[in-house]
Amino acid sequence: MTARIEVTFHGVDVSPALRAAVEERAGRLPRLAEDIVSCHCVIEAQGRRQTHGNPYRVHVRVHLAGGALDTEGTGAEPYATANAALETMERRLRDFVRRRRDQPRRRSDPA
């Protein structure tokens, strides 16, 4: 099953190169968990009046068959910020799959 990947820009000019980079990186997430339904990445400018600090915010949400995982990153460069947020999502997804795999199975009826 292929996961649906959606990239949204808020307050930032739409960049086909940035969209392609995010879609390529997010396209690797289903290798970590087979039950990913969709991935939504939002790239936005923090605020019009902000002149210093981290003007870009990237929010990544992955919907799984049993729930959802969220990560967020801020930075001065949209490519690096998106890359860092997706890297964090990969780490969280690996941890989620490991925890789910290591959980003891519950028996439906006592022996």
Side-chain angles (χ1 to χ4, degrees), residues 8-60:
T8 306
F9 294 88
H10 290 186
V12 180
D13 292 334
V14 176
S15 167
L18 179 57
R19 180 185 300 273
V22 169
E23 287 176 349
E24 189 271 327
R25 182 79 190 250
R28 292 188 239 160
L29 293 176
R31 295 181 198 167
L32 301 173
E34 305 84 32
D35 58 343
I36 292 178
V37 176
S38 67
C39 176
H40 187 198
C41 301
V42 178
I43 302 166
E44 63 183 348
Q46 288 276 23
R48 293 183 312 191
R49 296 175 189 258
Q50 183 171 355
T51 58
H52 299 294
N54 298 324
Y56 295 101
R57 177 177 162 261
V58 176
H59 182 233
V60 180

Short mmCIF file of all heavy atoms in Angstrom, two decimals, residues 8-60:
data_model
loop_
_atom_site.label_atom_id
_atom_site.label_comp_id
_atom_site.label_asym_id
_atom_site.label_seq_id
_atom_site.Cartn_x
_atom_site.Cartn_y
_atom_site.Cartn_z
N THR A 8 1.98 21.23 2.00
CA THR A 8 1.22 22.47 1.98
C THR A 8 2.14 23.62 2.37
O THR A 8 2.95 23.48 3.29
CB THR A 8 0.04 22.40 2.98
OG1 THR A 8 -0.73 21.24 2.69
CG2 THR A 8 -0.83 23.63 2.89
N PHE A 9 2.00 24.74 1.69
CA PHE A 9 2.78 25.94 1.98
C PHE A 9 1.85 27.02 2.51
O PHE A 9 0.82 27.30 1.90
CB PHE A 9 3.47 26.46 0.71
CG PHE A 9 4.52 25.52 0.16
CD1 PHE A 9 4.19 24.53 -0.73
CD2 PHE A 9 5.84 25.66 0.56
CE1 PHE A 9 5.15 23.67 -1.24
CE2 PHE A 9 6.80 24.81 0.06
CZ PHE A 9 6.46 23.81 -0.85
N HIS A 10 2.20 27.64 3.64
CA HIS A 10 1.42 28.74 4.22
C HIS A 10 2.34 29.95 4.38
O HIS A 10 3.29 29.90 5.15
CB HIS A 10 0.87 28.37 5.59
CG HIS A 10 -0.22 27.36 5.55
ND1 HIS A 10 -0.92 26.99 6.67
CD2 HIS A 10 -0.75 26.64 4.55
CE1 HIS A 10 -1.81 26.09 6.34
NE2 HIS A 10 -1.72 25.85 5.07
N GLY A 11 2.05 31.00 3.67
CA GLY A 11 2.84 32.22 3.79
C GLY A 11 4.22 32.12 3.19
O GLY A 11 5.07 32.96 3.43
N VAL A 12 4.46 31.08 2.42
CA VAL A 12 5.75 30.85 1.77
C VAL A 12 5.47 30.63 0.29
O VAL A 12 4.49 29.98 -0.07
CB VAL A 12 6.45 29.60 2.36
CG1 VAL A 12 7.79 29.35 1.70
CG2 VAL A 12 6.62 29.73 3.87
N ASP A 13 6.32 31.17 -0.57
CA ASP A 13 6.16 30.93 -1.99
C ASP A 13 6.32 29.44 -2.28
O ASP A 13 7.23 28.79 -1.75
CB ASP A 13 7.21 31.71 -2.80
CG ASP A 13 6.97 33.22 -2.72
OD1 ASP A 13 5.81 33.63 -2.50
OD2 ASP A 13 7.95 33.98 -2.87
N VAL A 14 5.44 28.91 -3.12
CA VAL A 14 5.50 27.50 -3.47
C VAL A 14 6.74 27.24 -4.30
O VAL A 14 6.97 27.88 -5.33
CB VAL A 14 4.23 27.08 -4.25
CG1 VAL A 14 4.33 25.64 -4.70
CG2 VAL A 14 3.00 27.30 -3.41
N SER A 15 7.57 26.33 -3.83
CA SER A 15 8.80 25.98 -4.51
C SER A 15 8.71 24.53 -4.98
O SER A 15 8.63 23.62 -4.16
CB SER A 15 9.98 26.14 -3.55
OG SER A 15 11.13 25.53 -4.08
N PRO A 16 8.72 24.31 -6.30
CA PRO A 16 8.67 22.93 -6.80
C PRO A 16 9.86 22.09 -6.33
O PRO A 16 9.71 20.90 -6.05
CB PRO A 16 8.67 23.08 -8.32
CG PRO A 16 8.23 24.47 -8.58
CD PRO A 16 8.66 25.28 -7.40
N ALA A 17 11.02 22.71 -6.20
CA ALA A 17 12.20 21.97 -5.74
C ALA A 17 12.06 21.56 -4.28
O ALA A 17 12.39 20.42 -3.91
CB ALA A 17 13.45 22.83 -5.92
N LEU A 18 11.54 22.46 -3.43
CA LEU A 18 11.33 22.12 -2.03
C LEU A 18 10.24 21.06 -1.89
O LEU A 18 10.38 20.12 -1.11
CB LEU A 18 10.96 23.38 -1.23
CG LEU A 18 10.68 23.19 0.26
CD1 LEU A 18 11.88 22.57 0.97
CD2 LEU A 18 10.34 24.54 0.90
N ARG A 19 9.17 21.19 -2.67
CA ARG A 19 8.10 20.19 -2.65
C ARG A 19 8.65 18.82 -3.04
O ARG A 19 8.36 17.82 -2.38
CB ARG A 19 6.97 20.60 -3.59
CG ARG A 19 5.82 19.60 -3.60
CD ARG A 19 4.77 19.97 -4.65
NE ARG A 19 4.18 21.27 -4.41
CZ ARG A 19 3.13 21.49 -3.63
NH1 ARG A 19 2.57 20.49 -3.00
NH2 ARG A 19 2.65 22.70 -3.48
N ALA A 20 9.47 18.77 -4.10
CA ALA A 20 10.04 17.50 -4.54
C ALA A 20 10.97 16.90 -3.49
O ALA A 20 10.96 15.68 -3.26
CB ALA A 20 10.79 17.70 -5.85
N ALA A 21 11.77 17.75 -2.83
CA ALA A 21 12.68 17.26 -1.80
C ALA A 21 11.91 16.69 -0.61
O ALA A 21 12.27 15.62 -0.08
CB ALA A 21 13.60 18.39 -1.34
N VAL A 22 10.85 17.36 -0.19
CA VAL A 22 10.04 16.89 0.94
C VAL A 22 9.31 15.61 0.55
O VAL A 22 9.26 14.65 1.34
CB VAL A 22 9.06 17.98 1.40
CG1 VAL A 22 8.04 17.44 2.37
CG2 VAL A 22 9.82 19.14 2.01
N GLU A 23 8.73 15.56 -0.65
CA GLU A 23 8.03 14.34 -1.07
C GLU A 23 8.97 13.16 -1.19
O GLU A 23 8.61 12.04 -0.82
CB GLU A 23 7.32 14.58 -2.41
CG GLU A 23 6.10 15.46 -2.29
CD GLU A 23 5.46 15.78 -3.63
OE1 GLU A 23 6.09 15.51 -4.69
OE2 GLU A 23 4.34 16.32 -3.63
N GLU A 24 10.20 13.40 -1.64
CA GLU A 24 11.18 12.31 -1.76
C GLU A 24 11.56 11.79 -0.38
O GLU A 24 11.61 10.58 -0.15
CB GLU A 24 12.42 12.82 -2.51
CG GLU A 24 13.41 11.73 -2.90
CD GLU A 24 14.43 11.49 -1.81
OE1 GLU A 24 14.81 12.44 -1.11
OE2 GLU A 24 14.85 10.33 -1.65
N ARG A 25 11.81 12.70 0.56
CA ARG A 25 12.20 12.29 1.92
C ARG A 25 11.03 11.63 2.64
O ARG A 25 11.20 10.61 3.31
CB ARG A 25 12.68 13.52 2.70
CG ARG A 25 13.16 13.24 4.09
CD ARG A 25 14.56 12.69 4.09
NE ARG A 25 14.95 12.21 5.38
CZ ARG A 25 15.86 12.78 6.16
NH1 ARG A 25 16.46 13.88 5.76
NH2 ARG A 25 16.17 12.26 7.31
N ALA A 26 9.83 12.15 2.49
CA ALA A 26 8.65 11.56 3.12
C ALA A 26 8.29 10.23 2.47
O ALA A 26 7.69 9.37 3.12
CB ALA A 26 7.47 12.53 3.06
N GLY A 27 8.65 10.06 1.21
CA GLY A 27 8.39 8.80 0.52
C GLY A 27 9.16 7.63 1.10
O GLY A 27 8.82 6.47 0.85
N ARG A 28 10.19 7.91 1.89
CA ARG A 28 10.98 6.84 2.52
C ARG A 28 10.35 6.36 3.83
O ARG A 28 10.75 5.32 4.34
CB ARG A 28 12.39 7.34 2.81
CG ARG A 28 13.20 7.58 1.57
CD ARG A 28 14.62 7.87 1.95
NE ARG A 28 15.00 9.18 1.47
CZ ARG A 28 15.99 9.89 1.93
NH1 ARG A 28 16.73 9.45 2.91
NH2 ARG A 28 16.27 11.07 1.41
N LEU A 29 9.41 7.10 4.38
CA LEU A 29 8.82 6.73 5.67
C LEU A 29 8.10 5.38 5.65
O LEU A 29 8.19 4.64 6.64
CB LEU A 29 7.87 7.83 6.15
CG LEU A 29 8.52 9.16 6.53
CD1 LEU A 29 7.45 10.17 6.90
CD2 LEU A 29 9.52 8.99 7.65
N PRO A 30 7.38 4.99 4.58
CA PRO A 30 6.71 3.69 4.60
C PRO A 30 7.66 2.50 4.72
O PRO A 30 7.23 1.40 5.05
CB PRO A 30 5.94 3.65 3.28
CG PRO A 30 5.70 5.08 2.97
CD PRO A 30 6.93 5.80 3.45
N ARG A 31 8.94 2.69 4.49
CA ARG A 31 9.90 1.60 4.71
C ARG A 31 10.01 1.25 6.19
O ARG A 31 10.34 0.12 6.54
CB ARG A 31 11.29 1.99 4.21
CG ARG A 31 11.37 2.21 2.73
CD ARG A 31 12.78 2.56 2.36
NE ARG A 31 12.82 3.18 1.05
CZ ARG A 31 13.86 3.80 0.56
NH1 ARG A 31 14.96 3.90 1.26
NH2 ARG A 31 13.81 4.35 -0.63
N LEU A 32 9.73 2.22 7.04
CA LEU A 32 9.86 2.01 8.48
C LEU A 32 8.62 1.38 9.09
O LEU A 32 8.71 0.65 10.08
CB LEU A 32 10.17 3.34 9.17
CG LEU A 32 11.43 4.06 8.70
CD1 LEU A 32 11.52 5.44 9.33
CD2 LEU A 32 12.66 3.24 9.03
N ALA A 33 7.46 1.69 8.54
CA ALA A 33 6.20 1.13 9.04
C ALA A 33 5.27 0.90 7.85
O ALA A 33 5.02 1.82 7.07
CB ALA A 33 5.55 2.08 10.04
N GLU A 34 4.76 -0.30 7.74
CA GLU A 34 3.93 -0.65 6.59
C GLU A 34 2.52 -0.08 6.67
O GLU A 34 1.84 0.04 5.67
CB GLU A 34 3.80 -2.18 6.45
CG GLU A 34 5.10 -2.92 6.36
CD GLU A 34 5.69 -3.21 7.73
OE1 GLU A 34 4.93 -3.40 8.70
OE2 GLU A 34 6.92 -3.22 7.83
N ASP A 35 2.09 0.29 7.89
CA ASP A 35 0.70 0.71 8.06
C ASP A 35 0.51 2.23 8.02
O ASP A 35 -0.48 2.74 8.52
CB ASP A 35 0.13 0.14 9.35
CG ASP A 35 0.92 0.54 10.59
OD1 ASP A 35 2.07 0.98 10.43
OD2 ASP A 35 0.40 0.41 11.69
N ILE A 36 1.42 2.95 7.37
CA ILE A 36 1.26 4.39 7.20
C ILE A 36 0.18 4.65 6.16
O ILE A 36 0.23 4.11 5.05
CB ILE A 36 2.58 5.06 6.79
CG1 ILE A 36 3.58 4.99 7.92
CG2 ILE A 36 2.34 6.52 6.39
CD1 ILE A 36 4.94 5.59 7.59
N VAL A 37 -0.79 5.48 6.52
CA VAL A 37 -1.89 5.80 5.63
C VAL A 37 -1.57 7.07 4.84
O VAL A 37 -1.75 7.12 3.62
CB VAL A 37 -3.21 5.98 6.43
CG1 VAL A 37 -4.33 6.41 5.51
CG2 VAL A 37 -3.54 4.71 7.17
N SER A 38 -1.07 8.11 5.55
CA SER A 38 -0.76 9.36 4.88
C SER A 38 0.28 10.14 5.66
O SER A 38 0.52 9.88 6.84
CB SER A 38 -2.02 10.22 4.70
OG SER A 38 -2.48 10.65 5.96
N CYS A 39 0.90 11.10 4.97
CA CYS A 39 1.87 12.00 5.58
C CYS A 39 1.55 13.41 5.08
O CYS A 39 1.43 13.64 3.88
CB CYS A 39 3.28 11.60 5.18
SG CYS A 39 4.55 12.73 5.79
N HIS A 40 1.39 14.34 6.02
CA HIS A 40 1.07 15.71 5.67
C HIS A 40 2.16 16.62 6.22
O HIS A 40 2.40 16.63 7.43
CB HIS A 40 -0.29 16.10 6.23
CG HIS A 40 -0.77 17.43 5.77
ND1 HIS A 40 -1.75 18.13 6.40
CD2 HIS A 40 -0.39 18.22 4.73
CE1 HIS A 40 -1.95 19.27 5.78
NE2 HIS A 40 -1.14 19.35 4.76
N CYS A 41 2.83 17.37 5.35
CA CYS A 41 3.89 18.31 5.75
C CYS A 41 3.40 19.73 5.47
O CYS A 41 2.99 20.03 4.36
CB CYS A 41 5.16 18.06 4.96
SG CYS A 41 5.82 16.41 5.16
N VAL A 42 3.47 20.57 6.49
CA VAL A 42 3.08 21.97 6.34
C VAL A 42 4.33 22.82 6.53
O VAL A 42 4.99 22.74 7.57
CB VAL A 42 2.01 22.38 7.37
CG1 VAL A 42 1.65 23.84 7.22
CG2 VAL A 42 0.78 21.51 7.23
N ILE A 43 4.67 23.62 5.53
CA ILE A 43 5.81 24.52 5.59
C ILE A 43 5.24 25.93 5.63
O ILE A 43 4.50 26.34 4.73
CB ILE A 43 6.71 24.34 4.35
CG1 ILE A 43 7.19 22.89 4.29
CG2 ILE A 43 7.88 25.31 4.39
CD1 ILE A 43 7.80 22.50 2.98
N GLU A 44 5.57 26.66 6.70
CA GLU A 44 4.97 27.98 6.85
C GLU A 44 5.96 28.99 7.39
O GLU A 44 6.94 28.64 8.05
CB GLU A 44 3.74 27.92 7.74
CG GLU A 44 4.00 27.50 9.15
CD GLU A 44 2.72 27.38 9.97
OE1 GLU A 44 1.66 27.84 9.50
OE2 GLU A 44 2.79 26.82 11.06
N ALA A 45 5.66 30.26 7.10
CA ALA A 45 6.43 31.37 7.67
C ALA A 45 5.86 31.65 9.05
O ALA A 45 4.64 31.64 9.24
CB ALA A 45 6.33 32.59 6.78
N GLN A 46 6.73 31.89 10.03
CA GLN A 46 6.29 32.12 11.41
C GLN A 46 5.38 33.33 11.54
O GLN A 46 4.37 33.28 12.18
CB GLN A 46 7.50 32.29 12.33
CG GLN A 46 8.24 31.01 12.56
CD GLN A 46 7.62 30.18 13.67
OE1 GLN A 46 6.46 30.31 14.01
NE2 GLN A 46 8.40 29.30 14.22
N GLY A 47 5.78 34.43 10.97
CA GLY A 47 4.97 35.63 11.07
C GLY A 47 5.54 36.73 10.20
O GLY A 47 6.74 36.75 9.92
N ARG A 48 4.69 37.63 9.77
CA ARG A 48 5.16 38.69 8.87
C ARG A 48 6.06 39.66 9.58
O ARG A 48 6.95 40.23 8.98
CB ARG A 48 3.96 39.44 8.30
CG ARG A 48 3.13 38.61 7.39
CD ARG A 48 2.03 39.41 6.80
NE ARG A 48 1.33 40.18 7.83
CZ ARG A 48 0.20 40.81 7.64
NH1 ARG A 48 -0.37 40.77 6.47
NH2 ARG A 48 -0.36 41.48 8.61
N ARG A 49 5.86 39.87 10.86
CA ARG A 49 6.63 40.88 11.59
C ARG A 49 7.94 40.33 12.15
O ARG A 49 8.75 41.09 12.65
CB ARG A 49 5.80 41.45 12.72
CG ARG A 49 4.59 42.18 12.20
CD ARG A 49 3.73 42.63 13.35
NE ARG A 49 2.48 43.15 12.86
CZ ARG A 49 2.20 44.44 12.76
NH1 ARG A 49 3.09 45.33 13.12
NH2 ARG A 49 1.04 44.83 12.30
N GLN A 50 8.12 39.03 12.10
CA GLN A 50 9.33 38.45 12.66
C GLN A 50 10.50 38.70 11.71
O GLN A 50 10.47 38.33 10.54
CB GLN A 50 9.15 36.95 12.86
CG GLN A 50 10.35 36.32 13.51
CD GLN A 50 10.10 34.88 13.91
OE1 GLN A 50 8.98 34.39 13.78
NE2 GLN A 50 11.11 34.22 14.39
N THR A 51 11.55 39.34 12.22
CA THR A 51 12.72 39.64 11.39
C THR A 51 13.97 38.90 11.86
O THR A 51 14.94 38.86 11.14
CB THR A 51 13.01 41.16 11.39
OG1 THR A 51 13.22 41.59 12.74
CG2 THR A 51 11.85 41.92 10.78
N HIS A 52 13.96 38.34 13.06
CA HIS A 52 15.11 37.63 13.58
C HIS A 52 14.68 36.24 14.04
O HIS A 52 13.51 35.97 14.24
CB HIS A 52 15.73 38.37 14.78
CG HIS A 52 16.21 39.74 14.43
ND1 HIS A 52 17.25 39.97 13.58
CD2 HIS A 52 15.76 40.96 14.80
CE1 HIS A 52 17.45 41.27 13.45
NE2 HIS A 52 16.54 41.90 14.18
N GLY A 53 15.65 35.38 14.24
CA GLY A 53 15.35 34.06 14.78
C GLY A 53 15.03 33.06 13.68
O GLY A 53 15.65 33.06 12.62
N ASN A 54 14.08 32.22 13.93
CA ASN A 54 13.72 31.14 13.02
C ASN A 54 12.42 31.46 12.31
O ASN A 54 11.34 31.24 12.85
CB ASN A 54 13.58 29.83 13.81
CG ASN A 54 14.87 29.43 14.47
OD1 ASN A 54 15.95 29.64 13.92
ND2 ASN A 54 14.78 28.87 15.66
N PRO A 55 12.50 31.97 11.08
CA PRO A 55 11.28 32.40 10.41
C PRO A 55 10.44 31.26 9.81
O PRO A 55 9.30 31.49 9.45
CB PRO A 55 11.80 33.31 9.30
CG PRO A 55 13.17 32.82 9.03
CD PRO A 55 13.70 32.33 10.35
N TYR A 56 11.00 30.03 9.70
CA TYR A 56 10.25 28.94 9.08
C TYR A 56 9.88 27.88 10.11
O TYR A 56 10.65 27.57 11.01
CB TYR A 56 11.07 28.28 7.97
CG TYR A 56 11.33 29.22 6.82
CD1 TYR A 56 12.55 29.85 6.68
CD2 TYR A 56 10.33 29.49 5.90
CE1 TYR A 56 12.79 30.73 5.64
CE2 TYR A 56 10.56 30.37 4.85
CZ TYR A 56 11.78 30.98 4.73
OH TYR A 56 12.01 31.85 3.71
N ARG A 57 8.69 27.34 9.95
CA ARG A 57 8.19 26.26 10.80
C ARG A 57 7.69 25.15 9.90
O ARG A 57 6.96 25.41 8.93
CB ARG A 57 7.05 26.78 11.67
CG ARG A 57 6.42 25.74 12.55
CD ARG A 57 5.34 26.39 13.43
NE ARG A 57 4.47 25.35 13.94
CZ ARG A 57 3.30 25.03 13.43
NH1 ARG A 57 2.81 25.69 12.41
NH2 ARG A 57 2.59 24.07 13.95
N VAL A 58 8.08 23.92 10.21
CA VAL A 58 7.62 22.76 9.44
C VAL A 58 6.95 21.80 10.41
O VAL A 58 7.52 21.42 11.43
CB VAL A 58 8.80 22.06 8.73
CG1 VAL A 58 8.33 20.80 8.01
CG2 VAL A 58 9.47 23.00 7.75
N HIS A 59 5.72 21.44 10.10
CA HIS A 59 4.95 20.50 10.91
C HIS A 59 4.70 19.26 10.06
O HIS A 59 4.22 19.36 8.94
CB HIS A 59 3.62 21.13 11.34
CG HIS A 59 2.81 20.25 12.20
ND1 HIS A 59 1.51 19.94 11.92
CD2 HIS A 59 3.11 19.58 13.33
CE1 HIS A 59 1.04 19.13 12.84
NE2 HIS A 59 2.00 18.89 13.71
N VAL A 60 5.04 18.08 10.61
CA VAL A 60 4.86 16.82 9.90
C VAL A 60 3.92 15.95 10.72
O VAL A 60 4.12 15.76 11.92
CB VAL A 60 6.21 16.09 9.70
CG1 VAL A 60 6.00 14.77 8.96
CG2 VAL A 60 7.20 16.97 8.97
#
